[in-house]
Amino acid sequence: MWKTDFPYERKVVGYIKGYMRRFWQASEDHRGIPGVPGRVVTIVPSSNLEDQVYGVAYKIAENDIPNVVEYLDHREKQGYQQNTVTFHPTSDDLKPFQLVIYIAETENSYYLGPAPLETIARQISKAIGPSGRNDDYLFQLANAMRKLAPQVNDCHLYELEELVKEMQGSRNEESGL
């Protein structure tokens, strides 16, 4: 949502139903390294079919689709699979439509699954990979969500953000910064 580094014609804010956004996927290729993986988000099925995950749908020009899909397949290579879901735009002038998203399947070797928020926050606060700091990924995502869907309280995301900031504050106090 915050790092759209591919061409698109239009973006639409909305949500999918029956899923939750969770930091349950390891990243050794972008936000961590082998042996010290970061954590990145994936969309996981929810037992509540009315749960909503807000995000952005991008309309890709027909000519750009092969290159964008190739790029996204590479970016989302560590355990993500394409899934087709129904997207519900927040704009009243658009009807729900089908789109493809990337979801980390639970059987992939990078799927970490649920953990206490403190454990996830500690891992995020320490991890750095080729694409940058893991905490930056978390903060950028939280900021993007606040701008795109200010009415939504993504508890998992915002509680992790707060825990990581607290951990950083504690480390800065310990080091005299």
Side-chain angles (χ1 to χ4, degrees), residues 38-95:
R39 277 193 180 246
V40 292
V41 293
T42 187
I43 308 301
V44 297
S46 172
S47 58
N48 180 352
L49 297 179
E50 293 304 311
D51 278 348
Q52 300 172 350
V53 175
Y54 279 75
V56 178
Y58 295 94
K59 181 177 186 335
I60 310 299
E62 196 71 34
N63 293 345
D64 291 330
I65 290 174
N67 289 335
V68 170
V69 169
E70 181 181 348
Y71 166 75
L72 291 173
D73 282 349
H74 176 74
R75 188 175 88 177
E76 308 299 333
K77 67 184 175 207
Q78 283 192 327
Y80 290 89
Q81 300 295 319
Q82 291 183 2
N83 287 48
T84 301
V85 297
T86 301
F87 187 79
H88 302 267
T90 55
S91 173
D92 290 335
D93 63 331
L94 296 173
K95 295 189 182 321

Side-chain angles (χ1 to χ4, degrees), residues 6 13 20 22 25-26 28 32 40 45-46 48 65 86 99 102 105 107-108 114 122 136 152-153 155 160 163 165 177:
F6 53 84
V13 175
M20 304 176 297
R22 295 291 184 262
Q25 179 75 358
E28 293 183 338
V40 292
S46 172
N48 180 352
I65 290 174
T86 301
L99 61 73
Y102 288 83
E105 300 294 329
E107 298 82 26
N108 86 76
R122 259 192 308 282
D136 184 53
V152 175
N153 183 15
C155 295
L160 270 176
L163 281 170
K165 286 181 177 179
L177 298 176

